[in-house]
Amino acid sequence: MTWYTYLNEMMDLRSFSNLWFWIALAVMWSTASHWVLGVPYDMVTRAARDPEGAQADLEQIAYGFVRRRLYVTNVAGTWATVFTSFVLSSLLILGWGYNIEFAQALALLGTPMTLVGYLSHRAAARIDGQGLRGADLRKVLTRLRMTIQAIGMVSIFVTSVWGIYVNLVRHLDNDLFKVEEIEPTDG
């Protein structure tokens, strides 16, 4: 195998048969469910066990990320929404309108993460608006994490089913599973 063949296999745009896509999917959802609003979830569990010491650290970090998210939304929220809508619409049209597998894969990654971003923004606005502290802050972060995990499970299931379908169709169209007709002989 030459270096060109190896490089071509590594950067193959047929995403659903590429190991790197599935690794990226797993890492994306693992990261999204661990870093809730930018706060590592182990800080939430530690704050529940040690309300005096760890709770203050949790509140400081959580409010830092909440204020940052709300600031970015206030400054560039409209443009970010327009850009995200354009990119997702383009990916959906390219993926299912023009049957481009790479666009389908990116749409299956990006669409649920957009929902996660929206829910994270709502949780940040609620935390800041209500000034949540202590057990109430931990409850909102825990509920957001469970919602992100549920979205992740559905997303991984849908992506897996679609990936299996795409790979089966590709192989079925490749004459691998077609039976040749045998013509009768005169005899």
Side-chain angles (χ1 to χ4, degrees):
M1 182 180 288
T2 66
W3 68 271
Y4 177 76
T5 308
Y6 182 72
L7 186 64
N8 192 27
E9 286 290 321
M10 293 285 289
M11 297 176 65
D12 189 10
L13 293 180
R14 291 177 301 176
S15 302
F16 299 116
S17 62
N18 194 332
L19 178 63
W20 293 110
F21 171 76
W22 297 105
I23 291 172
L25 180 71
V27 168
M28 180 184 80
W29 284 112
S30 173
T31 303
S33 67
H34 180 69
W35 294 89
V36 180
L37 280 179
V39 178
Y41 191 73
D42 60 294
M43 287 190 76
V44 177
T45 57
R46 200 170 343 125
R49 286 189 305 247
D50 180 22
E52 282 101 38
Q55 182 65 40
D57 293 340
L58 172 66
E59 289 174 4
Q60 188 175 19
I61 289 177
Y63 272 92
F65 280 111
V66 163
R67 284 189 210 102
R68 181 177 180 268
R69 178 179 289 271
L70 295 176
Y71 172 77
V72 169
T73 303
N74 289 334
V75 170
T78 303
W79 288 107
T81 302
V82 168
F83 180 73
T84 303
S85 299
F86 170 75
V87 169
L88 285 178
S89 298
S90 299
L91 288 173
L92 291 170
I93 291 168
L94 288 171
W96 282 272
Y98 292 99
N99 203 25
I100 298 174
E101 185 175 333
F102 187 66
Q104 291 173 355
L106 290 178
L108 288 169
L109 291 175
T111 304
M113 285 307 291
T114 303
L115 179 60
V116 168
Y118 171 72
L119 293 174
S120 296
H121 173 72
R122 279 189 44 203
R126 179 175 176 212
I127 289 169
D128 188 55
Q130 296 178 1
L132 299 179
R133 304 266 182 216
D136 292 332
L137 176 63
R138 291 193 310 267
K139 183 179 177 183
V140 168
L141 292 175
T142 301
R143 185 173 291 150
L144 179 61
R145 180 178 194 234
M146 292 175 66
T147 304
I148 290 171
Q149 288 176 331
I151 293 169
M153 287 189 301
V154 171
S155 172
I156 290 170
F157 176 75
V158 169
T159 303
S160 300
V161 168
W162 184 255
I164 291 168
Y165 170 75
V166 166
N167 284 326
L168 283 176
V169 166
R170 183 182 316 131
H171 288 296
L172 288 175
D173 286 345
N174 212 3
D175 291 339
L176 288 176
F177 299 107
K178 292 184 179 175
V179 178
E180 294 180 19
E181 290 185 30
I182 301 173
E183 294 185 27
T185 57
D186 294 331

